[in-house]
Amino acid sequence: MEGYKRWVRRNREYVNSLESLANGLTWLLPERFSSSEIGPEAVTAILGVITAINEHIIDTAPSQIHTGHPEPSTFPYSLCISALKDLETLVEVVAQHYYGDTKKWNFIAATEAIKFSVRLAMFRNSGYKMLLQGGENPNSEKTSEVSFSQSRPGDFRKPGFYSGPGSFRNSFGQNGWNLEGRALSALSRFGENARMVSDPAWLRRVQQQNSIMESIAPKAEKSTLSSILSEKGVHGSLYLMGEILFIARPLIYVLFIRKYGTRSWTPWFLSLAMDVVGVGIFSQVMLSGWGSRDHKFQYTTAEKDELKRRKVLWALYLMRDPFFSKYTRERLDKAEKLLEPVPLFGALTAKVIELIVGAQTRYTYMSGS
């Protein structure tokens, strides 16, 4: 195992490029959205888990210069969440195939309950920091700048963007869109990672020096529940409420679908309300003029990007039943009929709509969790 870790860390750019290309090619497998989808989904899930393991190996690579005492080993929460997200579609497909459309929600609810437990434990273990990409990206000081800190001279990177060779997600993160995100961006990331292979030696030395400086920097003490409530007061309570709403929303949504069915508006409206209220709480905490500066939360750049990502995910409500069946599907059918006589564009539109309708039938593709 140690030999495999060393090989992955030495060839990280090639490994990432091959994984991205392989994940994209899985969408060309036959019977993608038919009743016999178990095989293709199993291949996709295995590739996804391998990708998550490789990313974890690279992200946990030891620094070349060690200072102080090594950190105690902790549970790989990010790896666990990534693996669960890669396996959940396979669980849904297998459950639907063997138990039907109604009983499959029992298995989906069990999967969401596991994810809820892992995310809640990660939230507590991180010192109650905001979960990035649903917990797939660790929220650490070394990956983001504090929003109220001064900009460093000569730093022209976009906020929240990390350009190191081991970085596999941008500030919004395609992984937040589940498997379809990696599929849609596979080819573009293949080119990007291939370009990183040609990085000059001086740039690699600068990146190595930056990682050394990050290891020397003192680590902030983890916050506790009592310290947040006592130091931040009302802001702390609202912050905790907003993040717990985000963590619990997928599980509550599935439980209400299990009770009322996909045609009911109750789960749809409840889930949307939890999303809107959660993000609204974070905005209120950041913009409110209550209290002194010490009692306010100062979000990092990565956390601000995470709030933007959560708002973007609201678009998925257009693809969830009953809204999709009642409104979105009708608009798609009209667009298909309108463009059908147009050469090339008509066939292309029909294929895109076929993929959209096929993906919409899977909860895990449209869950945003």
Side-chain angles (χ1 to χ4, degrees):
M1 188 64 183
E2 291 300 323
Y4 177 74
K5 289 181 179 179
R6 288 193 297 270
W7 182 84
V8 170
R9 288 163 181 165
R10 283 198 306 264
N11 303 277
R12 58 182 65 184
E13 295 89 359
Y14 296 106
V15 170
N16 186 33
S17 299
L18 291 174
E19 289 168 349
S20 301
L21 185 61
N23 279 315
L25 292 176
T26 57
W27 283 75
L28 302 179
L29 292 173
E31 309 296 338
R32 181 69 192 183
F33 295 113
S34 71
S35 58
S36 59
E37 195 188 340
I38 296 178
E41 281 300 342
V43 174
T44 302
I46 293 172
L47 286 175
V49 172
I50 293 175
T51 300
I53 293 174
N54 290 339
E55 290 180 3
H56 178 73
I57 291 173
I58 293 173
D59 291 341
T60 56
S63 302
Q64 295 190 6
I65 295 182
H66 299 276
T67 58
H69 299 285
E71 287 186 22
S73 59
T74 58
F75 183 79
Y77 292 102
S78 298
L79 174 60
C80 184
I81 292 173
S82 297
L84 284 171
K85 292 182 71 172
D86 287 315
L87 291 172
E88 62 182 352
T89 304
L90 178 61
V91 171
E92 178 182 0
V93 171
V94 172
Q96 183 175 1
H97 182 79
Y98 289 104
Y99 297 97
D101 291 334
T102 302
K103 292 186 177 180
K104 77 172 184 179
W105 293 105
N106 296 331
F107 296 89
I108 296 176
T111 305
E112 290 292 357
I114 297 173
K115 287 164 60 180
F116 169 77
S117 301
V118 174
R119 283 171 174 160
L120 200 61
M122 183 180 185
F123 183 49
R124 180 180 180 275
N125 185 72
S126 66
Y128 299 96
K129 291 182 179 180
M130 183 185 299
L131 299 185
L132 305 181
Q133 309 295 325
E136 290 189 86
N137 286 359
N139 188 352
S140 57
E141 295 297 328
K142 66 179 181 179
T143 57
S144 58
E145 297 177 356
V146 181
S147 60
F148 53 82
S149 63
Q150 294 181 352
S151 300
R152 291 189 296 269
D155 189 357
F156 299 104
R157 295 178 299 174
K158 294 182 180 180
F161 182 80
Y162 171 62
S163 56
S167 174
F168 299 130
R169 300 178 181 91
N170 58 24
S171 58
F172 291 97
Q174 281 84 0
N175 280 357
W177 295 78
N178 268 338
L179 300 177
E180 70 273 24
R182 286 198 301 272
L184 295 176
S185 63
L187 296 179
S188 63
R189 284 190 291 159
F190 180 84
E192 179 183 349
N193 291 311
R195 179 168 49 85
M196 282 195 289
V197 176
S198 61
D199 283 346
W202 65 267
L203 180 57
R204 294 185 181 275
R205 287 196 296 270
V206 170
Q207 293 169 347
Q208 179 181 349
Q209 292 173 1
N210 288 338
S211 64
I212 294 174
M213 293 302 296
E214 289 166 354
S215 65
I216 297 176
K219 294 185 173 84
E221 196 173 326
K222 288 183 181 179
S223 300
T224 62
L225 183 62
S226 59
S227 65
I228 291 177
L229 294 177
S230 60
E231 294 174 8
K232 303 298 183 181
V234 176
H235 288 85
S237 301
L238 290 175
Y239 168 82
L240 293 172
M241 185 187 304
E243 192 63 11
I244 291 175
L245 278 175
F246 169 75
I247 295 173
R249 182 206 62 82
L251 176 59
I252 294 176
Y253 178 55
V254 170
L255 290 177
F256 270 76
I257 288 181
R258 182 170 169 267
K259 180 177 181 180
Y260 294 101
T262 57
R263 299 295 179 181
S264 172
W265 285 97
T266 302
W268 192 90
F269 276 115
L270 179 62
S271 178
L272 178 61
M274 293 180 70
D275 271 336
V276 173
V277 171
V279 173
I281 287 176
F282 284 119
S283 301
Q284 180 68 18
V285 168
M286 181 172 57
L287 299 176
S288 175
W290 300 340
S292 62
R293 176 169 179 161
D294 293 337
H295 288 74
K296 294 180 183 178
F297 276 91
Q298 301 289 340
Y299 297 137
T300 63
T301 303
E303 289 170 343
K304 290 181 178 179
D305 289 338
E306 170 65 16
L307 292 178
K308 295 177 183 177
R309 186 190 74 90
R310 294 181 186 184
K311 291 180 181 179
V312 171
L313 290 180
W314 293 354
L316 290 176
Y317 283 96
L318 303 177
M319 302 299 299
R320 296 173 188 164
D321 282 329
F323 191 94
F324 179 84
S325 301
K326 191 172 182 62
Y327 300 104
T328 308
R329 181 63 186 269
E330 181 181 351
R331 301 296 187 277
L332 291 176
D333 291 340
K334 288 182 179 179
E336 183 178 6
K337 291 180 181 179
L338 181 64
L339 296 175
E340 185 177 6
V342 181
L344 185 62
F345 285 101
L348 182 61
T349 302
K351 187 62 178 178
V352 170
I353 292 177
E354 178 186 354
L355 289 174
I356 291 175
V357 173
Q360 191 275 334
T361 61
R362 299 288 176 226
Y363 159 81
T364 46
Y365 287 152
M366 299 299 161
S367 65
S369 66

